[in-house]
Amino acid sequence: MAASWLSLRLVAPMWNGTRGIHRLGGAVVPEGNQKKERTMLQFLTDHFYDVEALRGYLLQREMCKVHLKNRSFTWLEEQHGPYSAGAFFILKQGGAVKFRDKEWIRPDKYGHFSPEFWNFREVPVEAVDASDCEINYEGLDNLLLLKELQSLSLQRCPHVDDWCLSRLYPLADSLQELSLAGCPRVSERGLACLHHLQNLRRLDISDLPAVSNPGLTQILVEEMLPNCQVVGVDWAEGLKLGPEEQPQDTASPVPA
Amino acid sequence: MIRRVLPHGLGRGLLTRRPGTRRGGFSLDWDGKVSEIKKKIKSILPGTPCDLLPDTSHLPPEHSDVVIVGGGVLGLSVAYWLKKLENRQGGMRVLVVERDHTYSQASTGLSVGGICQQFSLPENIQLSLFSASFLRNINEYLAVTNAPPLDLQFNPSGYLLLASEKDAAAMESNVKVQKQEGAKVCLMSPDQLRNKFPWINTEGVALASYGMENEGWFDPWCLLHGLRQKVGVFFCQGEVTRFVTSSQHMLTTDDEMVTLKSIHEVHVKMDHSLEYQPVECAIVINAAGAWSAQIAALAGIGKGPPGTLQGTKLPVEPRKEEEPDPANLEVDHDFFQEKVWPHLALRVPAFETLKVQTAWAGYYDYNTFDQNGVVGPHPLVVNMYFATGFSGHGLQQAPGVGRAVAEMILEGSFQTIDLSPFLFNRFYLGEKTQENNIM
């Protein structure tokens, strides 16, 4: 009953909960849902140029919004120094920032945050929590201003992909903790270019849907970064017991 | 029984799904039903409809503004940028002619798919940088509604180039140019190299340059497929066999007679038949890769006394000097054993016990003159534009070159990246645009 109602919906569900008819087909939505829920939308798009053009326009608008969020704040950097500019970028995106010897600064549910950090011109930023933020490759320009960053959390960021990971090497001297849990676009190829970050002590790579073999990737990353504690995947996951190692049934009669 | 069920279902409208029936909104096979109805009508009517007009759906159109010879990544890239930069949507009709729709011998599909910025010419570096940003944002450029986003399988590892004592100075000046253009490359001394990569034998190495960003390799089929599905042009599977040109004799300022040719018809021959279609066109783009020289010869380029502009051929060949014979694409396994493996084993001792698992061969559209691409119009055949001869780095420069050729056609000059050193004139004038770091 519910399935037939869903087939009439004009909006296709986005994976992170926001609704819109403008997303590209088939990204992370599981196959079964895709077939049932989007047939109406797909049918309209295939048969009417207007619907196709509208969807294309809305998609472009979404991408423009992401670009606007990730614009470069060079003028802020000139005026207030790199640490404040980088902190402003993170706070504007909805993340949290911790300056050295100060408390965490977080925006509240309306997006407002306290302007005290504008005074911290010389105080470096120690930790950044950019979970669920829409940071992409261009936005990393602003993040990389924070030269003495020690802890970075990019959990569930929808636009962080392998290209972004290849850009993290300037933070190699100071970065000790990195979390990439739940990023849908990070694959094992991006994880391979974390070899520059030799000072990393803790790396979280749990729940990465684009990584094809999580257990093997965990082993390879541990080998690549010997001083780092890699968290997230149990390397025995996906391994099956061999035929000789099948648990013996102790109740079966053993020939005397 | 049926009478009872029917009004019951109709009463609740279209939204219910009853077992044993096929109602349920628009999830039916609508096109299938329509074709079934058509078949039924045809079977009822007597006789088959007579063919008043012969079926030409397999032939290319009779008129086209631009004909692109060659449907590889360069040809498709030019088509994409022509469509993107045209002033009016649908203002230009573009036809892409590709001889082999399986791309079995095309250099694009057989390419490793590497992208690298470590060149010595600023133009090459700019082209690679632009291509890297194109590939990074490929889902913005090539997004198609209803299609899944493209996954290029990009592997971001940098290229590492090693230089001996005598080449160290050249490498340093190259890296300086690369850094000026914006490529992220760093120089490493042998000690730093040993620290970073302990498995390399640094004997004889004086300097190394390592690409930090925007370098790696990706899947060329994905790029090809993405360009093909996005670009709204006519595709035709056929071979170009003839150009029909018209000539104009003009006098230069020194009172010399010059014959300017312009192609106004392209004959496209279909596969496995003698049937051909003459396509009237305004502009022809030669993106035929390893076979560009033959296409150029069809237009009369190179037919003249040697040493003159008419006699200058397009020096693109499907081979490289020391590499195996390109008569076919059979893999020459001895070439690896004798020429490549000793160097590998010397540099990386762990590769001494290397075993080859698979090998394949592909053509280079090798420019024998200076190993760099040929871009832009021909001085005598005024409406033939080249986009070929990239000698192994065509795939990584395809987006930039496509844009440059589209700008040349639409605006008359290069707007973003100036590729004037790559024009055809240099073959006649003898000025080599030499690239020192050939991949």
Side-chain angles (χ1 to χ4, degrees), chain B residues 164-232:
Chain B
S164 58
E165 264 312 321
K166 63 179 175 69
D167 296 324
M171 175 177 270
E172 225 180 297
S173 65
N174 284 346
V175 168
K176 200 153 145 232
V177 174
Q178 287 152 24
K179 282 194 179 154
Q180 252 172 352
E181 296 296 331
K184 306 275 195 302
V185 182
C186 73
L187 281 170
M188 292 168 97
S189 68
D191 290 320
Q192 286 171 325
L193 197 60
R194 263 192 294 274
N195 266 346
K196 181 86 197 155
F197 304 116
W199 40 266
I200 294 188
N201 168 16
T202 55
E203 183 193 318
V205 174
L207 197 56
S209 75
Y210 183 44
M212 307 290 274
E213 264 189 67
N214 288 335
E215 295 194 350
W217 65 92
F218 61 96
D219 178 19
W221 285 109
C222 180
L223 179 62
L224 198 66
H225 172 67
L227 281 170
R228 247 194 115 117
Q229 78 178 3
K230 172 73 176 179
V231 88

Side-chain angles (χ1 to χ4, degrees), chain B residues 402-418:
Chain B
R403 187 174 63 164
V405 174
E407 283 167 358
M408 190 58 155
I409 293 175
L410 295 170
E411 326 258 341
S413 61
F414 297 118
Q415 306 284 322
T416 41
I417 304 180
D418 184 16

Side-chain angles (χ1 to χ4, degrees), chain B residues 252-268:
Chain B
T252 64
T253 44
D254 309 321
D255 277 337
E256 266 178 52
M257 177 77 88
V258 171
T259 317
L260 293 176
K261 280 209 256 191
S262 90
I263 304 174
H264 63 85
E265 223 176 63
V266 178
H267 285 195
V268 179

Side-chain angles (χ1 to χ4, degrees), chain A residues 4 25 55 63 67 137 169, chain B residues 15 136 140 146 148 153 213:
Chain A
S4 49
R55 279 188 83 189
M63 295 205 261
H67 274 301
Y137 186 89
Y169 65 89
Chain B
L15 302 181
R136 199 184 325 129
E140 289 183 20
N146 270 350
Q153 313 266 329
E213 264 189 67

